[in-house]
Amino acid sequence: MFKRWLLALLARVGLIVLGLCSCLFLFYFLACKPTSRRSQQSLQWSAGATSKEGYMALLQEREDTHRHYINSLTKQIAQLKEALQERTKQLQESLEKAKTRGVLPKGLESLHKTPTQTDLKEFFLSQLNQAEVTSGVQVPSEYAVIPFDTFTLRRVYQLETGLSRHPEERPGRRDRRDELISTVETALHVLNGPRQHAHGGRRRRTYSPADFVEGLTRTERDRGTAYELLFKGDGPQDFTQLSLFRPFGPVLKVKSERVAAGSMLINIIVPLSKRPDSFRQFIRNFREVCIQQDGRVHLTVVYFGRDQIDRVKALLDQTTRETQFRSFTLIQLNEEFSRGRGLDVGARAWRRSPNVLLFFCDVDIHFTADFLTSCRLNAEPGKKVYYPVLFSQYNPSIIYSNQTLLPSVQQQLVMRKETGFWRDFGFGMTCQYRSDFLNIGGFDRNIRGWGLEDVHLYRKYLHSKLMVIRCPSSGLFHLWHEKNCADELPPDKYKMCMQTKAVSEASPGQLAELLFRRDIQVHLSSQK
């Protein structure tokens, strides 16, 4: 009995001791467990990151970690690229040897061809090597030098021919503006790329658009566009210069179609008020080009007032009798002259067909048969309108002042800087289809007198989805005539009229000779 009680007591004591040992072991395990990374960060955050210094230290540590990770990935990517290029080169050499020996397995013929991406890369590199970027090329004369345009984030300083060009201007064309901005952004991406940390592990500065100083750009039409960009450096006299090149790719075919230009009728609309002598010269040109050479034209004359209209009718009747040409329309308006009003009335008066090609013309314009062909080819209903830049003559009495007799009109039609200029600020002569003219809203009928009506119509087309073909025309001339600026014009129109009158008289060199004629004569006399 006693033994049983003693065994039971020992069993209970053993169980109690075992339980106590288990509890002590559990407490020891919990007390000696290592602190997790998250709890360490929490302790660091609660202990030291509450201050500015601790927060900045934590950010710096994380930034260093990310930077090392990025550098590691960059090196790995570069190594993989090199390995891929080496394996590709080995494969190409093996295929070359196999092809030479005639043991190239079937199905591997396509692998022997160079990938398309490599072809493009080699082509672009050849464009870069041929362009005048890294080294100069020999040019025959000073006229063969391609000048650079200087640009900043807001201005473009360019050397362009034409009287409407300014020494500096904001890039008005959207593609030009986007081109310059994207080039600066590309340069910033290159400067701030991963390679900036590859030199000795020293972190370089981060560039921003505010660091851009200026750039140079020029385009070789058959090579590409070169850019020289200048950025601020670390010091006041330190700069970073970056050269970029945008190569041009091969020419791609867009479309090919046959156009029967000879079957297109052109309705030439001429607003007129008095000036019978100028109209006689115009009819002479019309008979030679439109009747004798072309034949597919119609003439609409919108005459303002009644004074001297009999002489205009007599010229039209004489032309009909002598040439048997009857495709004329004469519209008389008893109101004040307005060019836009006359062209609008002439366009809306057409009734012979649903649509017709319109040529808005002035009485002092001389055109050729080639221009009529260009008019037909560069205008398309619902797609294109044609705004040619004409060649404007200077005052013949100034140009040919050293001759006893002035040359004939045909002999004066010579394109030289001494005889005239491209009238790139005028938009009055245009070819467009009647349907497009009516859909766009026509001319502004509130404009009276001289100027601005053509600019408003031109801007309407610029804001539409139609393509505007704007280019110089070698077959369109503006004959010089005395320009009178009426006192009744508003100040802005009168100033514009006087500016046009000034630039239409003679070239800057010829005007300088007139201005300093006395000084020149004194100099010649002293030399004698």
Side-chain angles (χ1 to χ4, degrees), residues 316-327:
L316 295 177
D317 294 339
Q318 180 183 359
T319 302
T320 301
R321 290 193 308 269
E322 296 177 357
T323 63
Q324 303 302 316
F325 185 83
R326 302 181 181 276
S327 190

Side-chain angles (χ1 to χ4, degrees), residues 102-230:
V103 293
L104 184 65
K106 293 183 179 180
L108 297 181
E109 294 83 355
S110 60
L111 294 178
H112 182 262
K113 297 180 180 180
T114 306
T116 305
Q117 184 176 1
T118 305
D119 288 342
L120 290 177
K121 184 177 180 179
E122 292 179 354
F123 173 77
F124 290 150
L125 288 177
S126 66
Q127 294 288 86
L128 174 60
N129 294 331
Q130 296 175 16
E132 190 179 2
V133 178
T134 57
S135 60
V137 297
Q138 295 182 356
V139 294
S141 65
E142 66 274 17
Y143 301 105
V145 176
I146 303 177
F148 282 91
D149 290 342
T150 305
F151 68 94
T152 62
L153 292 178
R154 295 181 176 272
R155 292 286 191 271
V156 176
Y157 305 87
Q158 57 189 2
L159 296 176
E160 291 284 350
T161 58
L163 292 174
S164 67
R165 296 289 188 265
H166 301 286
E168 66 162 353
E169 61 181 23
R170 295 183 178 180
R173 287 178 56 92
R174 180 179 178 181
D175 57 348
R176 178 65 164 167
R177 182 171 62 252
D178 294 345
E179 171 207 354
L180 299 179
I181 293 177
S182 65
T183 302
V184 176
E185 290 177 351
T186 302
L188 293 174
H189 178 74
V190 172
L191 294 176
N192 296 327
R195 292 183 178 273
Q196 70 169 339
H197 308 295
H199 300 283
R202 183 175 61 89
R203 178 173 177 81
R204 297 166 59 186
R205 61 174 298 174
T206 300
Y207 293 86
S208 66
D211 296 321
F212 177 66
V213 181
E214 68 174 9
L216 302 178
T217 177
R218 68 175 177 180
T219 300
E220 297 183 44
R221 301 299 177 90
D222 57 342
R223 300 286 186 266
T225 303
Y227 304 91
E228 297 287 341
L229 307 178
L230 191 66

Side-chain angles (χ1 to χ4, degrees), residues 16-31:
I16 294 173
V17 173
L18 181 63
L20 291 175
C21 292
S22 300
C23 292
L24 291 174
F25 180 77
L26 180 62
F27 285 128
Y28 176 78
F29 177 78
L30 293 176

Side-chain angles (χ1 to χ4, degrees), residues 440-496:
I440 207 70
F443 286 103
D444 187 353
R445 302 183 182 181
N446 296 323
I447 297 178
R448 300 295 178 183
W450 182 89
L452 293 183
E453 79 287 334
D454 52 351
V455 180
H456 287 190
L457 179 64
Y458 182 69
R459 289 173 179 170
K460 287 183 180 180
Y461 282 116
L462 295 180
H463 297 159
S464 70
K465 295 184 178 181
L466 275 72
M467 182 185 300
V468 177
I469 306 298
R470 179 72 167 164
C471 61
S473 174
S474 60
L476 196 62
F477 295 85
H478 178 267
L479 302 180
W480 184 89
H481 61 87
E482 183 71 29
K483 181 176 291 294
N484 297 318
C485 300
D487 295 335
E488 295 80 11
L489 292 174
D492 56 343
K493 286 188 177 182
Y494 186 82
K495 182 179 179 180
M496 185 187 304

